[in-house]
CSV table of all heavy atoms in Angstrom, one decimal:
chain,number,residue,atom,x,y,z
A,254,GLY,N,-72.2,260.0,8.9
A,254,GLY,CA,-72.2,260.9,10.1
A,254,GLY,C,-73.4,261.8,10.1
A,254,GLY,O,-74.0,261.8,11.1
A,255,MET,N,-73.5,262.5,9.0
A,255,MET,CA,-74.5,263.6,9.1
A,255,MET,C,-76.1,263.1,9.2
A,255,MET,O,-76.7,263.4,10.1
A,255,MET,CB,-74.6,264.6,7.8
A,255,MET,CG,-75.4,265.8,7.9
A,255,MET,SD,-74.9,266.8,9.3
A,255,MET,CE,-73.6,267.9,8.6
A,256,PRO,N,-76.3,262.1,8.4
A,256,PRO,CA,-77.7,261.4,8.5
A,256,PRO,C,-77.8,260.7,9.8
A,256,PRO,O,-78.9,260.7,10.5
A,256,PRO,CB,-77.8,260.4,7.3
A,256,PRO,CG,-76.4,260.3,6.8
A,256,PRO,CD,-75.7,261.5,7.1
A,257,MET,N,-76.7,260.1,10.4
A,257,MET,CA,-76.8,259.5,11.7
A,257,MET,C,-77.2,260.5,12.8
A,257,MET,O,-78.1,260.3,13.6
A,257,MET,CB,-75.4,258.8,12.0
A,257,MET,CG,-75.5,257.8,13.2
A,257,MET,SD,-76.6,256.4,13.0
A,257,MET,CE,-76.8,255.8,14.5
A,258,ALA,N,-76.5,261.7,12.7
A,258,ALA,CA,-76.9,262.7,13.6
A,258,ALA,C,-78.3,263.1,13.5
A,258,ALA,O,-79.0,263.3,14.6
A,258,ALA,CB,-75.9,264.0,13.4
A,259,LEU,N,-78.8,263.3,12.3
A,259,LEU,CA,-80.2,263.7,12.1
A,259,LEU,C,-81.2,262.6,12.7
A,259,LEU,O,-82.2,263.0,13.2
A,259,LEU,CB,-80.5,264.0,10.7
A,259,LEU,CG,-79.8,265.2,10.0
A,259,LEU,CD1,-79.9,265.2,8.4
A,259,LEU,CD2,-80.1,266.6,10.7
A,260,LEU,N,-80.9,261.4,12.3
A,260,LEU,CA,-81.7,260.3,12.9
A,260,LEU,C,-81.8,260.2,14.4
A,260,LEU,O,-82.8,259.9,14.9
A,260,LEU,CB,-81.3,258.9,12.2
A,260,LEU,CG,-81.6,258.8,10.7
A,260,LEU,CD1,-80.8,257.6,10.1
A,260,LEU,CD2,-83.1,258.6,10.4
A,261,LEU,N,-80.6,260.5,14.9
A,261,LEU,CA,-80.5,260.5,16.5
A,261,LEU,C,-81.4,261.6,17.0
A,261,LEU,O,-82.0,261.5,18.0
A,261,LEU,CB,-79.0,260.6,16.8
A,261,LEU,CG,-78.2,259.2,16.7
A,261,LEU,CD1,-76.8,259.4,16.7
A,261,LEU,CD2,-78.7,258.1,17.7
A,262,ILE,N,-81.3,262.8,16.4
A,262,ILE,CA,-82.0,263.9,16.8
A,262,ILE,C,-83.5,263.5,16.7
A,262,ILE,O,-84.3,263.8,17.6
A,262,ILE,CB,-81.9,265.2,16.0
A,262,ILE,CG1,-80.4,265.7,16.2
A,262,ILE,CG2,-82.9,266.2,16.3
A,262,ILE,CD1,-80.0,266.8,15.2
A,263,ASP,N,-83.9,262.9,15.5
A,263,ASP,CA,-85.3,262.5,15.5
A,263,ASP,C,-85.7,261.5,16.5
A,263,ASP,O,-86.9,261.4,16.8
A,263,ASP,CB,-85.5,262.0,14.0
A,263,ASP,CG,-87.0,261.8,13.7
A,263,ASP,OD1,-87.7,262.8,13.9
A,263,ASP,OD2,-87.4,260.6,13.3
A,264,ALA,N,-84.8,260.8,17.0
A,264,ALA,CA,-85.0,259.7,18.0
A,264,ALA,C,-85.0,260.5,19.5
A,264,ALA,O,-84.9,259.7,20.4
A,264,ALA,CB,-84.1,258.6,17.9
A,265,ASP,N,-85.0,261.7,19.5
A,265,ASP,CA,-85.0,262.5,20.6
A,265,ASP,C,-83.7,262.5,21.5
A,265,ASP,O,-83.7,262.8,22.8
A,265,ASP,CB,-86.1,262.1,21.6
A,265,ASP,CG,-87.4,262.5,21.0
A,265,ASP,OD1,-87.6,263.5,20.2
A,265,ASP,OD2,-88.4,261.8,21.2
A,266,ALA,N,-82.6,262.1,20.9
A,266,ALA,CA,-81.2,262.2,21.7
A,266,ALA,C,-80.8,263.7,21.5
A,266,ALA,O,-81.2,264.3,20.7
A,266,ALA,CB,-80.2,261.3,20.8
Side-chain angles (χ1 to χ4, degrees):
M255 190 62 83
M257 190 65 193
L259 295 172
L260 289 164
L261 286 162
I262 290 170
D263 192 48
D265 293 330

